[in-house]
Amino acid sequence: MSLALEIVDLPPATAAAKEFLQRRDHRMFIGGEWVEAQSGARLETHNPASGALLGTIPAGAAADVDRAVSAARAAFESPAWRDMTGAKRARLLWKIADLIEANLDELCELETLDQGKPLWVGKYAEVPGAIEQFRYFAGAATKIEGTTIPSSIDYQPPGKKIFAYTVKEPLGVVGAIVPWNSPLVLTAMKIAPALAAGCTMVLKPAEDTSLTALRLAELIAEAGVPPGVFNVVTGLGETAGAALAAHPGVDKVTFTGSTEVGKLMLDAAKGNLKRLTLELGGKSPAIVMPDADLELAIPGVANAIFFNAGQVCVAGSRLYVHDSIFERVVEGVANYARGIRLGHGLDPQTQMGPVVNVKQAERIAGYVESGRAAGAEIRVGGGRGGPRGTFIEPTVLTRVRPDMKVVREEIFGPVVVATPFDDVEEIVTLANDTHYGLAASVWTESLSAAHRLAAQIRAGTVWINCHSMFDATLPIGGMKQSGWGRESGQQAVENYLETKTICAVI
Ligand code: NAD
């Protein structure tokens, strides 16, 4: 269904964003220098709302990854970084946070133009979220501690004692690969704990949304992080990403992206048995119980899927509503969807922007069509439009069956499938009937129902009477095929540390 939508291209308001975009042909950041890809090849980056060309980025490949990994290895071994105290690393991280804050408006505008999201998403959620990652892990840098261990070994020489302890050491060179849906904050979730731990890093941003990663590299350099500690190689996943994932000089890969590409990381890691953290896809259930406060639940579950045009790993893309209130909730969500204003992300009236590119828009439209063809009802939405066809109407599908593709697969767009249920045992089975396990939300006024369901749902995060609540303090990550490991929260710094045991006879 074609959607009539006029999009007027809007320029950024800040002089800094204008100045950044005027550079047009950006370079990538290796060993403290701004460099071209060795091949000289470039990729274009466009505004997904209008299709306007924003600039070009180097199409990095294996040779560039080699160079960046060497720079990161040299920095890892250099006294300037290796011997830096935790307190000094903490100050650097805090400085990065201050610089992001000082340049918040510019970063939000660049993210909106490159990714399509409304400006307010960056301003009130994602960029403050990135800042908090740096501040939270600044605190962690001075709290990396081992333990002394009273061992049970009893065969030491007479008169001697055993003294055993552990120390935590940085893992080494980290390769970070991130997706395009929330570029800055997802990148910060990796850089901040890795630098707090004393690692060095090569970042491969998503090819569609590399601009804020390049601007962030400038701020990281301005903060005083030594050359080579943080490097950015731009380029395609199949070339730059694959080379980084397989590189024998990389000790660990931290990947956020689709489950499909996440599985490729396993093969790529085999050569040198790299450590892996995988933050992958989801098909998260939002469950509305019969006693839910619907004033809260209806906008809550609508926002769970429509925020950021559904391009959220934890999006509440499967809506389960008790039979007794199914019509009321589904109609409420459909009404919410009808009221969402689509537009250019820099227009202050815009509530939902385009999806990131034409390919993703076609993919989402293909899912909606497959649902319709399989017998689902399009309660609202289903349209696609804009100058490049990148705008997708917020869509609610009903009359779906558990075996339909739209129920089983991650759509990663503003499309929710709604299913009624009639008893609590059934809802646990339905919620867990997925190979994903990233997140879920439960909407109920019953304390015991909420916590019983939270215990029974196989997901890394369960929200009660809310959805998509993120914070640097709260671990996030998946069970089942939604990933390995957790980011954010105290344990995230462990992703970048090795434990060494030292055992002495004294
Ligand atoms: P994607 O897997 O296609 O790409 C992610 C990154 O991997 C990009 O930088 C891409 O260039 C790179 N890449 C692609 N092919 C590669 C290869 N062969 N080798 C190495 N790198 C490669 O994902 P996407 O479409 O950019 O992002 C959407 C996906 O990300 C969704 O599945 C979403 O759920 C997931 N995601 C997960 C989380 C989480 O925290 N669990 C957060 C955000 C997004």
Side-chain angles (χ1 to χ4, degrees), residues 334-359:
N335 261 334
Y336 187 103
R338 288 182 194 105
I340 291 176
R341 195 181 154 124
L342 297 173
H344 191 293
L346 290 184
D347 178 344
Q349 305 296 319
T350 293
Q351 291 165 308
M352 187 190 283
V355 298
V356 72
N357 58 32
V358 177
K359 189 168 150 220

Side-chain angles (χ1 to χ4, degrees), residues 177-181 186 204-207 235-238 241-242 245 255-259 261-262 264-265 279-282 312-313 360 410 412 438 476-477 482 487:
I177 302 176
V178 294
W180 42 255
N181 57 319
L186 295 176
K204 208 298 281 174
E207 45 272 39
L236 296 173
E238 303 75 40
F255 173 82
T256 300
S258 60
T259 295
V261 177
L264 300 179
M265 297 296 120
E279 294 284 348
L280 308 178
V312 178
C313 53
Q360 180 65 4
E410 183 184 47
F412 218 58
L438 192 55
I476 182 95
S482 287
E487 294 192 308

Side-chain angles (χ1 to χ4, degrees), residues 120-482:
W120 59 265
V121 172
K123 204 159 176 170
Y124 300 110
E126 296 188 354
V127 182
I131 294 167
E132 281 320 308
Q133 289 285 330
F134 283 101
R135 295 209 169 120
Y136 180 84
F137 287 105
T142 48
K143 292 156 198 75
I144 294 169
E145 298 167 346
T147 46
T148 54
I149 304 170
S151 93
S152 306
I153 301 169
D154 63 0
Y155 47 82
Q156 65 269 33
K160 299 280 188 181
K161 282 173 63 170
I162 300 282
F163 175 51
Y165 61 98
T166 59
V167 288
K168 300 280 183 179
E169 295 185 348
L171 240 165
V173 174
V174 174
I177 302 176
V178 294
W180 42 255
N181 57 319
S182 301
L184 203 60
V185 64
L186 295 176
T187 302
M189 284 164 77
K190 300 185 183 307
I191 305 171
L195 299 195
C199 289
T200 59
M201 179 173 266
V202 178
L203 169 72
K204 208 298 281 174
E207 45 272 39
D208 283 311
T209 57
S210 295
L211 296 186
T212 51
L214 295 173
R215 182 67 183 109
L216 182 62
E218 291 181 346
L219 299 179
I220 288 176
E222 189 181 334
V225 172
V229 169
F230 177 70
N231 308 275
V232 183
V233 175
T234 51
L236 296 173
E238 303 75 40
T239 48
L244 183 60
H247 200 288
V250 172
D251 300 295
K252 179 191 174 112
V253 162
T254 170
F255 173 82
T256 300
S258 60
T259 295
E260 192 190 351
V261 177
K263 288 180 182 177
L264 300 179
M265 297 296 120
L266 303 188
D267 281 338
K270 255 191 339 215
N272 64 335
L273 279 183
K274 284 183 190 69
R275 276 66 176 149
L276 282 178
T277 299
L278 302 175
E279 294 284 348
L280 308 178
K283 191 77 182 173
S284 300
I287 301 168
V288 186
M289 299 294 279
D291 65 343
D293 172 355
L294 298 188
E295 300 287 308
L296 189 70
I298 291 173
V301 298
N303 203 38
I305 182 66
F306 300 136
F307 179 77
N308 206 28
Q311 303 164 114
V312 178
C313 53
V314 297
S317 50
R318 288 183 296 141
L319 174 63
Y320 295 104
V321 185
H322 191 265
D323 257 342
S324 58
I325 49 169
F326 184 76
E327 266 314 308
R328 196 169 150 205
V329 172
V330 167
E331 210 26 54
V333 174
N335 261 334
Y336 187 103
R338 288 182 194 105
I340 291 176
R341 195 181 154 124
L342 297 173
H344 191 293
L346 290 184
D347 178 344
Q349 305 296 319
T350 293
Q351 291 165 308
M352 187 190 283
V355 298
V356 72
N357 58 32
V358 177
K359 189 168 150 220
Q360 180 65 4
E362 282 169 355
R363 195 172 158 265
I364 298 167
Y367 272 111
V368 173
E369 178 48 29
S370 97
R372 200 197 51 75
E377 178 192 45
I378 301 178
R379 179 65 72 99
V380 68
R384 182 179 159 215
R388 305 259 302 219
T390 47
F391 286 86
I392 302 279
E393 265 186 315
T395 301
V396 179
L397 301 180
T398 54
R399 298 203 191 144
V400 292
R401 293 184 313 275
D403 62 326
M404 285 182 184
K405 251 172 71 149
V406 285
V407 177
R408 304 223 69 79
E409 297 179 15
E410 183 184 47
I411 299 175
F412 218 58
V415 180
V416 64
V417 293
T419 306
F421 69 92
D422 60 20
D423 77 38
V424 174
E425 289 317 309
E426 184 197 2
I427 189 51
V428 171
T429 308
L430 284 170
N432 287 334
D433 181 21
T434 169
H435 62 267
Y436 291 115
L438 192 55
S441 62
V442 178
W443 301 79
T444 176
E445 291 297 282
S446 157
L447 202 60
S448 58
H451 290 286
R452 260 202 324 273
L453 282 170
Q456 289 172 297
I457 292 170
R458 295 267 298 144
T461 297
V462 179
W463 288 291
I464 297 171
N465 293 328
C466 58
H467 199 108
S468 297
M469 292 291 201
F470 291 108
D471 190 55
T473 59
L474 300 175
I476 182 95
M479 293 185 183
K480 301 198 270 183
Q481 292 188 35
S482 287

